[in-house]
Amino acid sequence: MSLDDARTVYPILVQIAQDLAQAARDRRTAVWISYDDFCQRCKEVGVKETPRTIATKLLKPLQAVCLENSLPDLSALVIQKPKARSDFGNLLRPSDGWWEVYVTRGEATVGDVPFWFKQYQAARDYPEWPESPFF
């Protein structure tokens, strides 16, 4: 990841967090942001990645920066496109790679959706995101 690309997409994630927090406060249905959606927003600011590469080239490094700085994990805001499941309806969650850092630290297992949702809520509701990148 180039720092320029990370600095370019950081405000997008902060805006997503603020929009999701406002929807929660207003008790409106959240608009989930998929990897495809995030890629489109990145392309609009000149950062061209695919849903396959966006996680490793942008979101994983941003996740590391957030965690190193004791901030909520902004990468938790981006999810896989929901897949229909006959037993539980749509399953919302990040990619399998999102959990790696938490598994390594012994905090969660891959697929621990309640753990992810707590991280998602922390990032969504964090009131003090710097307007400009903190890295």
Side-chain angles (χ1 to χ4, degrees):
M1 162 185 86
S2 81
L3 283 178
D4 289 340
D5 285 350
R7 286 185 184 109
T8 301
V9 301
Y10 169 81
I12 295 170
L13 285 169
V14 169
Q15 185 62 54
I16 289 169
Q18 293 168 343
D19 292 347
L20 291 168
Q22 187 62 49
R25 284 191 299 275
D26 294 346
R27 300 183 187 266
R28 290 182 282 123
T29 302
V31 176
W32 298 101
I33 305 300
S34 71
Y35 288 93
D36 292 332
D37 298 331
F38 187 59
C39 284
Q40 184 57 43
R41 291 183 186 201
C42 290
K43 285 178 186 171
E44 291 169 4
V45 296
V47 176
K48 294 183 171 109
E49 295 294 341
T50 67
R52 189 174 296 269
T53 62
I54 198 111
T56 56
K57 291 187 177 179
L58 291 175
L59 292 176
K60 293 288 286 177
L62 283 168
Q63 178 186 51
V65 169
C66 286
L67 296 176
E68 288 168 9
N69 287 281
S70 300
L71 292 169
D73 180 358
L74 275 170
S75 72
L77 299 174
V78 183
I79 62 163
Q80 290 181 343
K81 208 169 209 122
K83 296 177 183 174
R85 288 186 41 151
S86 59
D87 52 351
F88 298 110
N90 289 335
L91 180 63
L92 299 172
R93 61 189 218 116
S95 72
D96 288 345
W98 178 84
W99 274 281
E100 289 172 4
V101 68
Y102 298 107
V103 169
T104 301
R105 293 167 27 164
E107 297 177 34
T109 58
V110 173
D112 183 348
V113 173
F115 175 84
W116 158 72
F117 194 67
K118 287 178 186 169
Q119 305 310 310
Y120 164 87
Q121 288 176 313
R124 176 195 71 191
D125 298 337
Y126 189 70
E128 301 174 20
W129 287 115
E131 286 189 31
S132 59
F134 55 92
F135 49 94

